[in-house]
Amino acid sequence: AQSVTQLDSHVSVSEGTPVLLRCNYSSSYSPSLFWYVQHPNKGLQLLLKYTSAATLVKGINGFEAEFKKSETSFHLTKPSAHMSDAAEYFCVVSDRYDYKLSFGAGTTVTVRA
Amino acid sequence: KAGVTQTPRYLIKTRGQQVTLSCSPISGHRSVSWYQQTPGQGLQFLFEYFSETQRNKGNFPGRFSGRQFSNSRSEMNVSTLELGDSALYLCASSIERGGGNEQFFGPGTRLTVL
């Protein structure tokens, strides 16, 4: 069985400051991990993915995430938040044998001017 | 290349009715998955189709069903609608099956059950 826990339901940051979204996962097999973003009334867009290559993964729009097996974590960061980053972010896990995506509950990011 | 398209985008039904939602995957993608998104339960996996066969199923009642056609287009059907079926239904496609393959999502169909 696989599951994801997003540790913060809501994160509020000031424009230009760093963003940290925390995610812990559980998977019986070697997991693939993803971060997706959903803007209001829009579909889900992939930010980045980890599939057992480099543990530090760079994605679109300046986001990156680090896979830490010992901590079963896959936290998402961005050095400098932009107003356009306001959205809901989902951490997602999929393992090698169970191809379905299991989503975390989501983290809503608010960016203050 | 066109993205995943879903029709209709919005739908209003009454309890007891049935509904059919359609999804056209990205050209060349053979795997189609369906998800339900609600404020209370979040995003939940419904089922996955590959080569016209259901390969994986989530924990939903039998009122939820689907199929995939030879051109990879997929439909999902919900019979005997309940108020709790009101949700955003998302379709996603990927080139192949496989945990590491990116799934591309459509904009969703928002179903309201009155």
Side-chain angles (χ1 to χ4, degrees):
Chain A
Q2 57 194 24
S3 66
V4 165
T5 301
Q6 292 185 241
L7 301 173
D8 309 288
S9 60
H10 186 245
V11 168
S12 180
V13 299
S14 297
E15 191 175 22
T17 64
V19 181
L20 169 65
L21 305 184
R22 299 181 295 163
C23 171
N24 287 346
Y25 71 91
S26 171
S27 178
S28 302
Y29 305 101
S30 299
S32 294
L33 292 157
F34 309 82
W35 277 97
Y36 279 86
V37 62
Q38 186 177 35
H39 288 92
N41 300 315
K42 296 284 183 69
L44 291 155
Q45 180 185 22
L46 180 71
L47 284 176
L48 49 79
K49 68 176 181 180
Y50 165 79
T51 56
S52 78
T55 56
L56 184 61
V57 182
K58 293 189 183 298
I60 62 172
N61 300 335
F63 285 96
E64 64 180 37
E66 186 171 8
F67 174 73
K68 291 187 176 180
K69 186 175 181 179
S70 61
E71 299 176 10
T72 60
S73 69
F74 190 58
H75 301 336
L76 180 72
T77 60
K78 182 173 181 177
S80 177
H82 190 271
M83 296 298 288
S84 61
D85 295 327
E88 188 156 21
Y89 293 78
F90 295 94
C91 182
V92 184
V93 65
S94 173
D95 69 35
R96 186 178 304 176
Y97 302 104
D98 186 358
Y99 302 146
K100 69 181 183 182
L101 300 182
S102 294
F103 285 79
T107 298
T108 301
V109 172
T110 302
V111 182
R112 304 184 303 271
Chain B
K1 185 183 270 191
V4 177
T5 57
Q6 293 187 245
T7 56
R9 291 292 312 278
Y10 301 91
L11 208 47
I12 299 175
K13 292 286 187 179
T14 57
R15 280 182 299 174
Q17 288 186 310
Q18 76 165 23
V19 66
T20 299
L21 312 182
S22 180
C23 171
S24 293
I26 293 172
S27 177
H29 285 198
R30 300 199 294 161
S31 171
V32 174
S33 297
W34 288 88
Y35 297 85
Q36 182 196 63
Q37 184 176 24
T38 60
Q41 299 298 317
L43 274 147
Q44 294 183 287
F45 172 77
L46 279 157
F47 27 66
E48 181 215 355
Y49 287 87
F50 182 82
S51 295
E52 302 178 61
T53 302
Q54 188 181 92
R55 304 290 181 155
N56 211 341
K57 190 177 192 308
N59 190 25
F60 278 82
R63 299 186 296 108
F64 291 82
S65 63
R67 59 178 175 169
Q68 186 181 34
F69 302 95
S70 58
N71 62 358
S72 293
R73 191 177 69 85
S74 176
E75 290 180 347
M76 69 163 280
N77 185 77
V78 187
S79 62
T80 319
L81 284 166
E82 301 178 359
L83 295 179
D85 297 333
S86 294
L88 180 66
Y89 290 88
L90 293 163
C91 165
S93 74
S94 62
I95 290 178
E96 293 287 346
R97 302 195 75 216
N101 284 305
E102 176 183 354
Q103 293 192 20
F104 293 82
F105 284 81
T109 294
R110 184 163 296 281
L111 171 65
T112 302
V113 182
L114 302 176

